């Protein structure tokens, strides 16, 4: 419908005919000829040349030449081309040659990078989102993925933890698998890297946290088959291609960047704030009274729990603090036409707003490009970083400070009378259950030190005209040292008199790629060619783990925490885990004058992660594009300035399973032995028939430009059918196992994506640039094996439903007469009961995956002043409070409660409310009572700055940039559920996991260019 409407508009506008706006009596008509080139003198084909405010227009040919007739002397000619700044020139007489200057965003606007080739946008047939380096620079986030929120349609990356350097889970166009990882593949400067959480003992960590955001030139998010099929077995869940900065010829440029500031914990919504001492004491007594305790019993317990002591804490204030952060970066960029270089050094330090958490990063990058001669070019890169982070526990751990802040009673005293930290465990005003988080933060250690080295070398040989060969080799090395120490006085190590664990993990990942590229220009035609690439790629990753565990540490010497001081060895561990891929691939393309382009790709992958019989698989893609604005009829209308229609189809695979999932495995122990010899026992059944999960991807899109592409709209529709889903299926107990992994079932992801960009306002020195993107994603299970149980934890597993559809007893409100919770007994919701055992499990019209995601990013400029304002949003999803039973149920009256429970609880017969009476007999079963609406809009980033470079004194010093700015992040979050007790940004499963509180930052910085 959309394409049909656009075509109708084009032909309606074209019907007016050329020159329909020429006025009678105008000055003499003339013929204008010329050539349009870039600033280096290279001709630019496809430039639209138009007499302003008329339909009289033409397009430059492959030599950049144009000819325009019936032009009035004194008329205004407009020259426009995607990726170049429009130029307006007054017509004189005779020849008019024009040089167009590349726009500031030309690189990301006119090229697409997929890791194997760089493609001009005119011939690109794929759906790809690009984020330029300027959008990532200087943001006070420890991982680059955090800075991409709201930047690309279809890209979602909820930040679920306030831990700096923590793992950010990424999805591209929804859920990619039911059991395997749905995270995309990451490619850095051509290298397919190991990503995610690589360690074994750290609560949360990201292998890419060492990457310096200021070193990034661009990030391309590959979404459809035309873009991802080149990655074959690993492209099903999308690909993120990161390209670092490289040198440019000319004067050597030096850049200095520094930013310092503070951070503050983001308070939970009012509904989730812990109760004050007085509020808790009131609710404590009320709960016991409602549970038929006598007044004497109530006061005895109140005295035991310190409610009458007059002493209390605010635990939320005790476990949070004002954080500090700073970052410093220096880079050097320059060279000649023959040799170019880019080098940088960076340092980032963040003290988190939750006690016991911090992060430090040192990074360095060196990229070199050198032309050995006219035919041979060499490129090399080396990227190294070291990350050190301390990470407290998350989830429902007694050592988790966030859990402690929510759960500890105000009357559990943090400090003794003498000011020392209270480590006493007996007694209801002390810590018989949850530990004192102040002591744990001070005495326990949960340290990660991660070193990452990424090196690459590429040699390109132009064998003959239009035929080249390139060879590429890269190494991705990760070395992780994890140190855990649990003190002997209080906490998880107390029963063992202290405990220490050390993990050393090493990943050595190498990749080699050889590729031929050829272009054949079809004789007799200008700008009509066929291009092809063929290549071979091999990759192997080797992991080595060595771990040791010991207990019994000298309590009189608290500093002796090294494992060598342990009195009792508890165990040592060592293992290897490797994987390998080999691939043959081919890419082909036909381009006719940048009007029509057809692309195709084929890849044959082999992987050690699958059994020999199924180790090889083939993947392909086909795509086509029509650049309607290159047609003669297009330039005769003025409604649109560009129009592109494209579509693609192809297959990709998912190999995100463990390295030996298919292998039947055995364990060895003296426990299985005989006659003094060790014996073996199968520990994993494996499956020697396991196959790839395969995605069949379809995409159709349109790219529209208006007002010389001052405004643009991109619309995509996609369908992704995923077959051969790997799931654990119950098997006969006679095998000795309960389940086996098999390829069963399929599902569908489909949806729409919209991106609107524009120069919304230009008034003299004031400009307003905006980018709005919206993604609508739907997920549906399409087939499952017969007999599959519909209950899948808290979800409903059945054909026709989203995988993350909630399935549980439904809360039906509160009985006004007595305050009892009510539940529905049938799916028609016509009958209620106060006995939850009589309630039915009901499929909810609620899911944990957002239906709508996106962002709204704005940049305002006035002379040297800039103002950036960014929002991101997630709508149409629900969160399950997996652990907040303790904060909502009267049964756990010794735990603190959420504020909404106190404010809205039933207290009086006849009262209408949605929080039941507080009682120790309150039912604790899973129900929708603890499901919350997660919809939110977040004010993600605000930055205001001024560039002083144009002031006289700095001009004389030849300063190219002197930008002073202030920035604030996470300033405000709008939610839509007044019961929501925690931050709505949770993982894709929809569970709140008691992770560290997120934070907002306030920083000032300066960028200096010399």
């Amino acid at each position: 419908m959309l394409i049909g409407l656009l075509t109708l508009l084009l032909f309606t506008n074209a019907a007016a005919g050329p020159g329909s706006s020429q006025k009678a009596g105008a000055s003499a008509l003339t013929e204008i000829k010329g050539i349009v080139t870039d600033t280096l003198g290279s001709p630019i084909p496809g430039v639209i040349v138009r007499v302003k405010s008329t339909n009289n227009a033409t397009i430059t040919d492959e030599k950049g030449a144009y000819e325009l007739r019936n032009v009035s002397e004194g008329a205004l000619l407009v020259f426009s081309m995607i990726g170049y700044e429009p130029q307006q020139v007054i017509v004189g007489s005779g020849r008019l040659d024009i040089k167009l200057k590349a726009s500031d965003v030309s690189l990301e606007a006119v090229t697409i990078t997929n890791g194997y080739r760089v493609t001009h946008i005119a011939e690109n047939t794929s759906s790809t989102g690009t984020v330029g380096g300027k959008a990532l620079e200087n943001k006070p986030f420890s991982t680059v993925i955090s800075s991409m929120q709201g930047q690309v349609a279809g890209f979602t990356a909820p930040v679920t933890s306030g831990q700096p350097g923590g793992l950010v889970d990424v999805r591209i166009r929804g859920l990619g698998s039911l059991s395997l990882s749905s995270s995309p593949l990451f490619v850095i400067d051509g290298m397919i890297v190991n990503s995610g959480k690589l360690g074994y003992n750290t609560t949360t960590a990201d292998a890419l946290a060492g990457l310096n955001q200021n070193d990034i030139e661009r990030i391309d998010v590959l979404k459809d088959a035309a873009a991802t099929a080149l990655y074959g077995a690993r492209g099903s869940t999308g690909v993120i291609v990161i390209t670092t900065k490289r040198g440019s010829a000319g004067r050597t440029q030096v850049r200095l960047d520094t930013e310092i500031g503070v951070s503050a914990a983001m308070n939970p919504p009012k509904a989730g704030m812990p109760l004050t001492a007085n509020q808790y004491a009131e609710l404590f007594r009320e709960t016991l009274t409602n549970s038929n305790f006598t007044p004497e019993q109530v006061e005895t317990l109140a005295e035991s729990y310190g409610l009458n002591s007059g002493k209390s804490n605010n635990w939320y204030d005790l476990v949070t603090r004002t954080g500090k952060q700073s970052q410093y970066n220096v880079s050097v960029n320059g060279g000649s036409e023959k040799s170019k270089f880019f080098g940088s050094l960076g340092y980032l330090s963040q003290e988190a707003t939750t006690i016991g958490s911090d992060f430090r990063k040192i990074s360095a990058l060196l990229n070199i490009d050198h032309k050995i001669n006219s035919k041979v070019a060499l490129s090399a890169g080396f990227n190294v970083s070291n990350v050190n982070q301390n990470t407290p526990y998350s989830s429902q751990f007694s050592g988790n400070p966030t859990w402690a802040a929510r759960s500890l009673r105000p009357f559990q005293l943090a400090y003794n009378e003498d000011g020392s930290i209270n480590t006493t465990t007996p007694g209801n005003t002390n810590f018989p259950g949850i530990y004192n988080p102040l002591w744990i933060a001070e005495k326990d250690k949960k340290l990660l030190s991660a070193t990452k080295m990424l090196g690459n070398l590429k040699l390109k040989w132009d064998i003959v005209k239009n035929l080249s060969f390139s060879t590429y080799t890269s190494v991705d090395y990760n070395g992780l040292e994890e140190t855990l120490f649990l003190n002997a006085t209080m906490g998880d190590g107390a029963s063992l008199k202290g405990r220490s664990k050390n993990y050393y993990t090493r990943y050595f990942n190498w990749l080699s790629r050889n590729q031929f590229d050829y272009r054949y220009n079809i004789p007799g035609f200008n700008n009509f060619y066929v291009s092809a690439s063929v290549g071979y790629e091999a990759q192997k990753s080797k992991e080595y783990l060595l771990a040791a565990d010991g207990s019994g540490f000298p309590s009189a010497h608290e500093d002796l925490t090294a494992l060598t001081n342990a009195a009792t060895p508890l165990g040592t561990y060592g293992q290897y885990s490797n994987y390998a891929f080999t691939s043959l691939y081919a890419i082909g393309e036909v381009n006719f004058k940048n009007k029509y382009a057809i692309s195709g790709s084929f890849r044959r992958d082999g992987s050690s992660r699958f059994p020999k019989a199924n180790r090889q698989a083939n993947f392909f893609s086909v795509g086509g594009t029509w650049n309607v604005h290159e047609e003669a009829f297009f330039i005769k209308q003025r409604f649109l300035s560009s129009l592109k229609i494209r579509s693609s189809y192809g297959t990709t695979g998912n190999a995100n399973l463990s390295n030996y999932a298919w292998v039947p495995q055995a364990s060895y122990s003296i426990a299985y032995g005989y006659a003094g010899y060790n014996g073996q026992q199968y520990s994993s059944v494996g499956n020697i028939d396991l196959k790839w999960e395969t995605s069949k991807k379809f995409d159709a899109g349109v790219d529209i430009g208006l007002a010389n592409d001052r405004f643009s709209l991109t619309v995509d529709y996609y369908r992704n059918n995923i077959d051969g889903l790997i799931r654990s299926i119950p098997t006969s107990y006679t095998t000795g196992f309960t389940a086996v992994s098999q390829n069963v079932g399929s599902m569908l992801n489909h949806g729409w994506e919209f991106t609107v960009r524009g120069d919304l306002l230009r008034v003299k020195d004031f400009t307003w640039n905006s980018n709005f993107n919206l993604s609508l994603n739907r997920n549906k299970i399409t087939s499952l094996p017969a007999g599959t149980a519909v209950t899948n934890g808290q979800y409903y597993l059945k054909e026709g439903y989203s995988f993350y559809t909630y399935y549980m007893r439904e809360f039906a409100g509160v009985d006004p007469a007595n305050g009892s919770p009510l539940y529905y007994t049938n799916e028609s919701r016509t009958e209620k009961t106060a006995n939850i055992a009589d309630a039915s499990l009901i499929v909810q019209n609620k899911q944990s995956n957002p239906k709508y995601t996106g962002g709204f990013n704005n940049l305002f400029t006035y002379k040297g002043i800039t103002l950036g304002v960014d929002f991101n949003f997630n709508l149409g999803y629900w969160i399950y409070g997996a652990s907040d039973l303790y904060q909502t149920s009267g049964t756990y009256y010794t735990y603190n409660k959420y504020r909404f429970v106190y404010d809205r609880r039933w207290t009086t017969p006849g009262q209408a409310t949605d929080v039941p009476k507080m009682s120790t007999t309150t039912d604790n079963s899973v129900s929708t009572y603890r499901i919350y609406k997660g919809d939110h809009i977040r004010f993600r980033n605000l930055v205001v700055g001024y560039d002083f470079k144009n002031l006289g004194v700095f001009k004389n010093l030849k300063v190219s940039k002197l930008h002073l700015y202030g920035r604030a992040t996470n300033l405000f979050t709008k939610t839509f559920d007044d019961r929501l007790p925690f931050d709505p940004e949770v993982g894709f499963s929809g569970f709140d996991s008691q992770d560290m509180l997120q934070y907002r930052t306030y920083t000032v910085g300066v960028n200096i260019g010399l």
Side-chain angles (χ1 to χ4, degrees), residues 74-94:
L76 198 62
L77 282 190
V78 179
F79 297 80
S80 60
M81 174 71 177
I82 294 175
Y84 295 87
E85 295 181 359
Q87 191 172 147
Q88 299 184 12
V89 181
I90 297 175
V91 172
S93 60

Side-chain angles (χ1 to χ4, degrees), residues 546-783:
L546 181 64
D549 187 3
S551 65
F553 285 80
S555 58
H557 300 280
E558 294 181 349
D559 294 334
L560 298 179
T561 61
L563 184 59
T564 189
N565 296 301
T568 305
L570 297 180
T572 56
Y573 319 94
Q575 69 178 39
Y576 297 91
S577 183
N578 307 330
Y579 70 82
F581 284 84
T582 59
S583 309
L584 289 168
Y585 61 89
I587 310 165
E589 179 182 274
V590 180
N591 185 325
F592 179 73
K593 296 186 176 183
N594 281 341
K595 286 184 183 180
Y596 319 109
I598 300 174
S599 69
S601 70
F602 172 82
R603 183 171 178 126
R604 181 170 178 81
D605 270 334
S607 173
S608 64
R609 287 176 171 170
F610 293 91
K612 187 174 182 180
N614 300 321
R615 188 157 293 171
Q616 306 288 331
N618 301 324
F619 307 93
F620 75 93
S621 75
V622 292
T625 188
W626 177 26
N627 291 298
V628 185
H629 54 266
E630 297 288 353
E631 300 286 358
F633 67 79
F634 183 88
I635 63 176
K636 297 177 182 180
Q637 56 80 43
R638 298 197 304 269
F639 180 71
L640 303 177
S641 55
S642 64
L643 174 62
K644 176 177 181 176
I645 301 170
R646 52 184 165 74
S647 185
S648 69
Y649 177 80
T651 60
T652 56
N654 189 339
N656 288 333
L657 71 166
S658 61
N659 293 337
Y660 306 111
W662 69 272
V663 181
Q665 298 177 52
S667 58
Y668 298 84
S669 172
I670 191 65
Y672 318 135
Y674 178 75
Y677 294 96
N678 283 344
Q680 73 175 34
Q681 173 178 291
Y682 277 105
S683 57
S684 173
V685 65
N687 181 355
I688 59 173
D689 296 317
L690 204 63
K691 299 179 181 180
W692 312 80
E693 292 187 352
T694 302
S695 295
K696 300 173 183 177
K697 295 173 178 276
F698 169 79
D699 184 277
V702 58
D703 304 310
I704 305 166
L706 301 95
N708 289 326
D709 292 332
R710 179 177 167 182
F711 307 99
S712 67
L713 168 66
T714 297
V715 181
D716 276 278
Y717 172 74
Y718 63 89
R719 290 179 68 87
N720 182 11
N721 286 286
I722 306 171
D723 296 326
L725 294 171
I726 297 175
R727 284 186 56 78
S728 183
I729 302 300
T731 189
S732 170
Y733 285 178
T734 60
T735 64
F737 297 93
T738 59
V740 60
S741 293
Q742 295 181 356
N743 295 96
V744 291
S746 59
M747 72 175 177
L748 168 68
N749 284 321
H750 64 103
W752 291 85
E753 293 171 354
F754 304 87
T755 301
V756 181
R757 295 185 180 92
D759 248 345
L760 296 186
L761 194 60
R762 292 180 188 171
V763 180
K764 293 184 179 179
D765 296 320
F766 179 80
T767 66
W768 174 15
N769 292 281
S770 189
N771 173 353
F772 174 81
N773 63 81
L774 169 67
S775 177
L776 290 70
N777 178 263
R778 300 293 183 270
N779 170 264
K780 182 171 66 175
I781 304 295
T782 53
S783 71

Side-chain angles (χ1 to χ4, degrees), residues 101-148:
K101 179 183 177 183
S103 66
D104 290 339
V105 294
S106 63
L107 181 63
E108 63 192 67
V110 303
T111 60
I112 300 296
T113 301
N114 63 18
Y116 292 87
R117 295 197 307 173
V118 177
T119 306
H120 192 282
I121 196 170
E123 56 188 341
N124 176 56
T125 64
S126 67
S127 176
T128 302
T130 299
V131 181
K134 289 185 178 180
L136 306 172
E137 289 180 350
N138 302 311
K139 288 190 175 178
F141 306 123
S142 54
T143 58
V144 63
I145 297 302
S146 300
S147 299
M148 292 181 63

Side-chain angles (χ1 to χ4, degrees), residues 815-861:
D815 188 334
N818 57 25
S820 296
L822 300 175
Y823 305 92
Y824 290 111
T825 60
N826 53 25
E827 291 189 3
S828 62
R829 298 171 176 83
T830 56
E831 298 181 8
K832 303 176 183 178
T833 180
N835 182 6
I836 198 168
D838 297 330
S840 298
L841 293 173
I842 297 176
V843 181
Q844 302 297 311
N845 187 24
K846 299 173 181 177
Q847 63 177 35
S848 65
N849 270 340
K851 293 181 178 180
Y852 313 97
T853 63
F856 183 38
N857 309 295
N858 302 271
L859 178 63
F860 304 88
T861 65

